[in-house]
Amino acid sequence: MSDASPPARATRYPATRISAVTEELHGQLIVDPYRWLEEDESPDTVSWTRAQNAATERYLEAAPGRAAIRARLEELLSIGAISTPTPVRGRYFYQLREGGQNQPVLLVRMGLDGHDQVLLDPNALNPAGTTALDWFYPSDDGRLVAYGVSEDGSEDSVLSILEVETGKLLSDRIRHTRAADLSWLPDSTGFYYTRYPSMGEVPEGDEHYHRSVFFHLLGEDPASDRLVFRPEQKEFWPGVDLSPDGRWLLIGVSRSFDETDIYIQDLEGGGPLVPVAKDLPALFDAAVVRDRLYLRTNLEAPNYRVFVAEAANPGREFWRPLVLPRSNAVLEGLSISGNHLILSYVERATSRLVVTDLAGNSPREIELPAIGSVFGLGVEWDGAELLIGFSSFIVPPAIYRVDLQSGRMELWHRVAASINPDRFRVDQVSYPSRDGTTVTMFIVRPADLHLDGERPVYLTGYGGFNISMMPTFSRSMLLWLEAGGIIAIPNLRGGGEYGEAWHQDGMLGKKQNSFDDFTAAAEYLIREGYTSPSHIAAAGGSNGGLLMGAVLTQRSDLFRAVIIQVPLLDMLRYHRFLMARLWIPEYGSAENREEFAWLIEYSPYHKVRDGVGYPAVLLATAESDTRVHPMHARKMAARLQAATSSIHPILLRLETQAGHGAGKPISKLVDELTDTWTFVFTELGVPVPGLE
């Protein structure tokens, strides 16, 4: 592999006008030179964005090896994808994408060894592949399926109902069911569900809030659906569940990303909603089975524990400890199947599964195929089987079925892929962060790779919202490994890998810890002889895009290239756009004096400095993103292009008919990944495999 730096190529940027807006926040003057780029529909913004896209396209199309990168990505992305099946009365509902299909298809397997039947093929609904199946919920008897479909990556689902035997669509249609929670009545005549308001029902701009719980009776007009629960604040996020016998209604309300309220209602007795856990500084999730209430919580237990109570007496004084916390593992989830509890743990950022009896006794561990992660569990409350979705960095997704009586595990379905895991190795290392905290990191590389201090590294992270970075399969990263590259994934504070304390150490006023953990990862890789700053590409999206913006503006000396995807970057104004007020509990708000002081210290857009020689930057965003507004990427691109003193390019890529990432068709993924990896290979000077 060549260690030579790539040839410098001059980049000509479109003209960008400065129209500064100055405002005072908490006694400090804030100058925003590109406020006008917040306006999506203005002719100036549209014209400027079109010119930026054209400049990015010209730059990347001129890169050698681009065609070879695209060809290999098309092969790799033909490796399929599968969801963990939901078992219902001998039927198994799941999604499967094969070959070049743009979207996964919803299937039902009729019996354990039966045939697969197509229930919904989104690819047949739209030749462009931009119609996506967002979610689905089979009825308790397996006769019906409620599902949500959205367009162009918007995630603004429309709920429909399908009859499994005939494939017939019922007349019911319900709009604005983004990320819906739904729970069927036992007789399948109706369901409880969540939805958002329509235009005109709330003040303009509030349509992304006010998520509420409703009840729908099949065949009735959704406009007359009964309102069951509306949260106290518009930003609160309710979910709904119903006990298998239909007696107990559970509503969980996320007040923030570290606090949840739980309510219960006895539908048989006709009583009111009763708070089970309210205004407590903890997360809760709950289930009722056979009149017993199970609560998983991190209340006074950062790694979580389980309480049980009688549903008729749900007060805290009646909670009995069932599963105690472990000091070395986070209890990620609890499932109930027949006479068994299935406990999902995360230990050192990898998955473990333990089965016990209903009293939490007689634990036995389910041996997973490798060090990796479980991406889903499928159970029936009165069943005797467990479906496990499993993958790892170099192990494609597979589904396993466990007979809970005998403990026997067998392969249910494996995604076809011609990958030899022996070609690669996975290590987990530990390193000190800036404040001395020990952080773990996965390093994936070719097994025979010689470390000489100059190996190209793709360093990616997230560090927020209690989300764990686990060993999961990435098709496109195989391209990098085949080229002799190294992939490094640190488990940053702000994530959930080490419990709620780990999460809280990377949020609000401690957000800087996430950034320090990431830069310390780069320093470790340099110190230990893996690479050098001129051979590191850093990448992240969404909250990880904020991470990239922060480390770019704080430690630009550590990276040769930075990929910033669907990012948050203007942290003084982020909460004013789309659904972003939901994230104030994680980041804070500039409207608050104390929180403004945290945000201004790291807000990437405001930390760009004139005359700094920034590394190459690719900012990627999407037109239909309903989570993170494209203004962040637009404003940051303009600011960096004006400020940088280096020859390295600052590129903006705004994709049309695409959103935050969910439901993106393979055709668009190939386009996006071709651009991303062309950028990485070019800027780090890595030869493209197969290029003559």
Side-chain angles (χ1 to χ4, degrees):
M1 180 178 296
S2 171
D3 292 330
S5 298
R9 292 192 286 153
T11 307
R12 298 189 58 169
Y13 303 120
T16 304
R17 68 177 170 89
I18 294 176
S19 183
V21 174
T22 301
E23 58 188 342
E24 184 176 321
L25 286 175
H26 307 293
Q28 186 169 338
L29 287 180
I30 306 296
V31 179
D32 187 348
Y34 303 109
R35 180 74 57 88
W36 62 276
L37 285 171
E38 295 179 356
E39 301 171 16
D40 285 323
E41 305 298 329
S42 80
D44 284 354
T45 299
V46 172
S47 175
W48 180 87
T49 303
R50 189 179 297 119
Q52 290 284 340
N53 268 343
T56 298
E57 186 176 345
R58 284 194 302 272
Y59 186 88
L60 295 175
E61 283 189 344
R66 179 178 174 80
I69 289 173
R70 184 181 186 89
R72 183 55 180 148
L73 285 171
E74 287 175 341
E75 294 174 350
L76 290 171
L77 267 67
S78 69
I79 298 172
I82 190 170
S83 70
T84 305
T86 301
V88 182
R89 301 294 172 250
R91 297 175 173 182
Y92 300 83
F93 296 82
Y94 70 105
Q95 290 177 268
L96 180 69
R97 184 189 63 77
E98 297 180 301
Q101 288 178 318
N102 273 311
Q103 299 288 347
V105 176
L106 178 60
L107 301 168
V108 59
R109 183 168 294 182
M110 309 298 281
L112 185 58
D113 300 313
H115 68 282
D116 283 347
Q117 174 184 321
V118 174
L119 295 177
L120 179 71
D121 183 358
N123 304 287
L125 300 178
N126 183 345
T130 56
T131 298
L133 174 63
D134 298 326
W135 48 262
F136 68 92
Y137 292 92
S139 62
D140 292 0
D141 56 13
R143 293 190 304 106
L144 302 171
V145 180
Y147 65 89
V149 168
S150 65
E151 305 293 335
D152 300 336
S154 69
E155 303 175 77
D156 187 10
S157 311
V158 177
L159 183 155
S160 300
I161 300 163
L162 184 74
E163 197 172 69
V164 172
E165 291 286 352
T166 65
K168 174 186 173 183
L169 274 175
L170 304 191
S171 60
D172 308 70
R173 296 285 187 283
I174 306 177
R175 299 185 60 81
H176 309 303
T177 51
R178 175 195 185 101
D181 255 13
L182 187 149
S183 194
W184 286 91
L185 295 180
D187 64 3
S188 304
T189 58
F191 49 80
Y192 293 86
Y193 72 104
T194 59
R195 80 162 187 244
Y196 288 86
S198 299
M199 294 282 287
E201 293 182 2
V202 293
E204 185 177 356
D206 270 7
E207 296 86 3
H208 297 286
Y209 305 104
H210 300 285
R211 174 177 162 116
S212 301
V213 178
F214 293 84
F215 175 75
H216 178 72
L217 192 65
L218 293 186
E220 297 292 323
D221 182 356
S224 63
D225 284 354
R226 174 169 57 90
L227 173 66
V228 175
F229 180 85
R230 176 164 288 151
E232 298 170 2
Q233 296 185 28
K234 68 180 183 178
E235 295 90 353
F236 289 179
W237 175 283
V240 65
D241 191 24
L242 194 63
S243 62
D245 60 6
R247 177 178 177 180
W248 302 100
L249 178 69
L250 282 170
I251 293 177
V253 183
S254 295
R255 292 184 284 115
S256 66
F257 291 92
D258 58 354
E259 294 184 344
T260 314
D261 295 337
I262 299 289
Y263 299 86
I264 192 170
Q265 184 175 16
D266 183 352
L267 299 177
E268 185 179 287
L273 276 171
V274 175
V276 177
K278 191 174 190 307
D279 297 328
L280 293 173
L283 290 166
F284 289 84
D285 52 56
V288 174
V289 176
R290 302 182 186 94
D291 294 328
R292 303 184 83 196
L293 171 66
Y294 296 85
L295 292 166
R296 186 186 71 95
T297 178
N298 58 18
L299 181 65
E300 300 172 356
N303 284 3
Y304 294 85
R305 57 181 167 176
V306 177
F307 291 100
V308 65
E310 299 305 314
N313 295 296
R316 187 175 175 185
E317 66 271 24
F318 299 109
W319 299 358
R320 304 186 305 277
L322 183 64
V323 179
L324 298 177
R326 297 187 179 189
S327 61
N328 61 339
V330 179
L331 179 57
E332 186 181 40
L334 166 71
S335 301
I336 300 165
S337 181
N339 296 318
H340 301 90
L341 300 179
I342 298 97
L343 307 173
S344 308
Y345 288 98
V346 175
E347 185 172 358
R348 286 184 62 84
T350 60
S351 291
R352 289 181 57 198
L353 291 177
V354 175
V355 178
T356 73
D357 62 22
L358 291 179
N361 299 321
S362 305
R364 70 176 190 268
E365 185 154 355
I366 296 175
E367 186 175 347
L368 296 173
I371 294 175
S373 58
V374 170
F375 59 79
L377 298 177
V379 299
E380 275 184 287
W381 71 274
D382 58 352
E385 63 180 349
L386 169 66
L387 283 300
I388 303 169
F390 179 84
S391 73
S392 189
F393 293 118
I394 51 180
V395 179
I399 306 298
Y400 294 88
R401 178 184 179 272
V402 177
D403 183 314
L404 291 172
Q405 300 297 338
S406 67
R408 181 172 177 266
M409 185 165 71
E410 60 187 1
L411 182 67
W412 194 85
H413 187 97
R414 174 182 285 123
V415 168
S418 56
I419 297 170
N420 179 7
D422 293 337
R423 290 183 55 195
F424 311 106
R425 62 178 287 179
V426 179
D427 298 309
Q428 190 178 40
V429 301
S430 299
Y431 63 90
S433 189
R434 181 181 179 181
D435 63 359
T437 298
T438 298
V439 181
T440 56
M441 175 165 57
F442 293 107
I443 299 176
V444 190
R445 59 188 175 99
D448 59 355
L449 186 68
H450 171 65
L451 299 181
D452 60 3
E454 299 293 331
R455 298 294 95 193
V457 170
Y458 184 89
L459 176 62
T460 184
Y462 193 78
F465 294 95
N466 204 25
I467 293 173
S468 299
M469 295 294 281
M470 309 265 287
T472 55
F473 185 68
S474 170
R475 293 150 187 81
S476 71
M477 285 189 184
L478 287 169
L479 171 71
W480 187 243
L481 293 172
E482 291 170 351
I486 296 172
I487 297 164
I489 305 173
N491 304 119
L492 313 174
R493 278 174 286 183
E497 295 92 339
Y498 295 98
E500 183 56 26
W502 194 253
H503 171 215
Q504 293 189 11
D505 273 352
M507 60 183 282
L508 296 173
K510 298 180 179 180
K511 189 62 187 170
Q512 182 62 40
N513 286 335
S514 302
F515 313 144
D516 290 343
D517 292 353
F518 191 85
T519 55
E523 291 171 334
Y524 170 89
L525 293 166
I526 295 165
R527 183 171 64 249
E528 296 299 316
Y530 288 87
T531 190
S532 66
S534 62
H535 293 85
I536 300 178
S542 194
N543 176 77
L546 166 61
L547 170 69
M548 292 304 108
V551 299
L552 169 71
T553 51
Q554 293 180 16
R555 290 298 308 275
S556 60
D557 59 302
L558 285 176
F559 313 105
R560 175 58 180 80
V562 181
I563 301 95
I564 308 176
Q565 298 163 317
V566 288
L568 289 157
L569 296 167
D570 183 342
M571 296 306 291
L572 302 187
R573 292 178 57 78
Y574 81 93
H575 61 290
R576 297 172 178 264
F577 296 88
L578 302 175
M579 60 189 296
R581 290 194 66 85
L582 296 176
W583 309 327
I584 289 175
E586 184 81 7
Y587 298 127
S589 166
E591 295 171 8
N592 177 286
R593 177 181 292 273
E594 179 187 8
E595 295 167 3
F596 165 79
W598 309 333
L599 294 167
I600 193 62
E601 279 302 304
Y602 71 79
S603 178
Y605 177 63
H606 301 92
K607 301 304 285 187
V608 177
R609 297 291 176 259
D610 293 329
V612 173
Y614 287 104
V617 177
L618 175 62
L619 291 129
T621 187
E623 183 179 64
S624 302
D625 195 332
T626 55
R627 301 193 208 182
V628 178
H629 199 281
M631 71 91 176
H632 291 276
R634 288 196 294 252
K635 290 171 63 174
M636 190 70 164
R639 182 71 185 97
L640 283 169
Q641 287 175 359
T644 188
S645 63
S646 79
I647 60 171
H648 306 312
I650 309 294
L651 306 177
L652 175 67
R653 184 187 191 276
L654 187 142
E655 189 164 26
T656 59
Q657 290 187 290
H660 199 66
K664 185 172 289 189
I666 291 298
S667 57
K668 283 187 172 292
L669 278 175
V670 170
D671 291 342
E672 176 189 0
L673 290 168
T674 297
D675 285 350
T676 301
W677 286 109
T678 296
F679 176 79
V680 173
F681 274 86
T682 300
E683 298 309 320
L684 267 62
V686 177
V688 177
L691 183 64
E692 297 297 332

